[in-house]
Amino acid sequence: MKHYLKKLLNQENLTLQEMKDAAETSFADHISESELASFLTALRAKGETPEEIAGLAEAIRNQSTQTTHELTSVMDNCGTGGDGSHSFNISTTAAFVLAGAGIKVAKHGNRSVSSKTGSADVLEHLGISLSFSKKHVAEMIQENHIAFLYAPHVLPGMKRFMTVRKNLGIPTIFNLIGPLTNPVDLDTQLLGSYRRDMLPVLAETLHQLGRKRALVINGPDYMDEASLAGDNYISLLEEGNVTSFTLHPSDINLPVHDNDAIRGGDAKKNAAILLDVLHGKTGPYYDTVLLNAGLGIFANGAVTSIQEGIRKAEDSIQSGAALEKLQRLVEYSSKMTSEAI
């Protein structure tokens, strides 16, 4: 660890393999919390590279008992969090729309950290299990096109860093890493980040992690989701190349809504919003989900334009397909719980 720390203090970048080695070393009991804190601080001060972010993500994934290579053509649409917007659970709602559009989704998420309600909080309120096994995840993705992977359940190795992060009290690489540690091998991804300056870096990181296609987005007011309040900043990874552009609601014939119009609340309120959207209730919440689901469908490569993705997202909701994916996941959770008793 000291060798890698010295390199970082000398403003030298670590290779992907060096970062994997350093991260794997950090899981060892003999590495102190002060050493971990020094490493994370030095990395932050130098600035994280795609290779370093990818190396840490791979090391964390390798610690998971649920890492799977059997599933194909799977995507995730998880964001980093950390934007402080207190919006409703946009990506969680959009995940069911993606599944209803025929896309296989391994939805990775956690409880609330910077927002009032995390994806795990709202899904648990709706009756979805947070303890799907590797077998359950595979079955649900194959049969229902969506499963939920609760981060602490599938990535127990992350606990080692929680105290260090809390004590440091500053943003570190771990504020970027969450959506990259999904233990399911992903082919495509929609990644939201509160760090607008890191969009191309994160897109290149996804390339390092083997994504065939991806979008990395930062919305108005630095949201880690796309929103209809103004320009969205986007980096597209396609065939190994990264290109960046902005997207305004007027570009895709969607109305402008202020971010205050998509605020959420506790798990009960956000669950009600999610159900309203999947039942087709129109308004700012609905339009915001159309935007994010449309971007997800485009990121997946199922369509050739964002506009076409939005149309496909609306079909998923209006046909009842998105709601059915949620209902089946709740039913599967109930059955799983009954069998365990």
Side-chain angles (χ1 to χ4, degrees):
M1 181 64 78
K2 289 180 180 178
H3 168 68
Y4 299 125
L5 179 57
K6 184 177 179 180
K7 287 192 71 172
L8 295 177
L9 291 173
N10 288 331
Q11 295 294 299
E12 297 177 40
N13 297 330
L14 303 184
T15 65
L16 189 149
Q17 188 58 52
E18 284 177 329
M19 189 62 183
K20 281 181 68 176
D21 292 342
E24 287 166 0
T25 300
S26 69
F27 288 111
D29 291 337
H30 68 271
I31 301 298
S32 68
E33 289 186 0
S34 61
E35 284 180 286
L36 286 178
S38 298
F39 182 79
L40 293 175
T41 303
L43 188 62
R44 167 74 179 188
K46 178 189 70 66
E48 303 90 345
T49 67
E51 291 77 13
E52 289 163 346
I53 301 170
L56 177 58
E58 286 193 4
I60 292 171
R61 289 183 75 249
N62 290 341
Q63 290 284 317
S64 176
T65 58
Q66 295 210 31
T67 302
T68 177
H69 309 292
E70 292 79 26
L71 297 167
T72 59
S73 302
V74 183
M75 81 171 295
D76 191 7
N77 67 330
C78 181
T80 60
D83 62 10
S85 67
H86 303 297
S87 61
F88 76 107
N89 297 97
I90 299 170
S91 64
T92 305
T93 311
F96 292 104
V97 181
L98 292 171
I103 294 168
K104 289 187 282 188
V105 182
K107 184 71 181 82
H108 191 224
N110 209 335
R111 291 196 184 277
S112 165
V113 178
S114 60
S115 60
K116 289 184 179 179
T117 308
S119 56
D121 301 304
V122 72
L123 292 178
E124 185 179 48
H125 185 82
L126 289 165
I128 293 172
S129 173
L130 304 185
S131 58
F132 285 127
S133 68
K134 182 176 177 178
K135 174 176 174 288
H136 295 140
V137 168
E139 285 181 354
M140 273 287 86
I141 290 176
Q142 293 288 20
E143 296 173 13
N144 193 44
H145 282 178
I146 188 168
F148 181 65
L149 294 94
Y150 177 45
H153 176 65
V154 299
L155 298 168
M158 291 286 279
K159 293 178 183 178
R160 172 101 169 107
F161 300 94
M162 294 303 292
T163 302
V164 176
R165 292 180 63 195
K166 186 176 180 180
N167 290 340
L168 272 176
I170 61 171
T172 69
I173 191 172
F174 280 95
N175 294 80
L176 302 171
I177 209 78
L180 308 175
T181 58
N182 193 320
V184 174
D185 280 346
L186 304 175
D187 289 300
T188 58
Q189 191 159 358
L190 175 66
L191 167 60
S193 174
Y194 73 102
R195 290 276 304 273
R196 188 171 295 172
D197 61 312
M198 291 292 285
L199 298 187
V201 172
L202 290 171
E204 178 56 36
T205 300
L206 292 173
H207 176 55
Q208 296 280 342
L209 291 170
R211 305 294 188 268
K212 296 173 183 174
R213 184 179 166 91
L215 284 182
V216 187
I217 60 175
N218 176 267
D221 299 329
Y222 294 89
M223 284 184 66
D224 73 328
E225 314 269 8
S227 102
L228 296 165
D231 284 328
N232 295 275
Y233 294 79
I234 302 173
S235 287
L236 166 67
L237 168 67
E238 185 174 31
E239 297 180 353
N241 299 311
V242 177
T243 55
S244 297
F245 60 97
T246 59
L247 182 76
H248 189 273
S250 60
D251 297 331
I252 44 177
N253 299 319
L254 285 176
V256 172
H257 294 296
D258 190 87
N259 282 338
D260 286 341
I262 57 170
R263 281 183 171 267
D266 59 14
K268 181 179 179 180
K269 178 176 180 179
N270 283 11
I273 293 170
L274 185 153
L275 289 171
D276 280 346
V277 170
L278 296 190
H279 276 101
K281 182 179 179 180
T282 57
Y285 298 123
Y286 179 89
D287 293 336
T288 302
V289 170
L290 285 186
L291 171 61
N292 281 271
L295 285 167
I297 295 168
F298 178 69
N300 177 262
V303 294
T304 58
S305 71
I306 296 170
Q307 190 75 58
E308 187 182 354
I310 291 169
R311 287 195 294 270
K312 200 173 181 69
E314 186 149 38
D315 287 343
S316 174
I317 295 173
Q318 294 300 328
S319 68
L323 180 62
E324 182 185 1
K325 299 303 180 184
L326 168 63
Q327 292 169 336
R328 287 193 63 189
L329 196 56
V330 171
E331 290 167 4
Y332 190 90
S333 295
S334 178
K335 177 184 175 184
M336 187 184 78
T337 303
S338 299
E339 290 175 349
I341 296 174

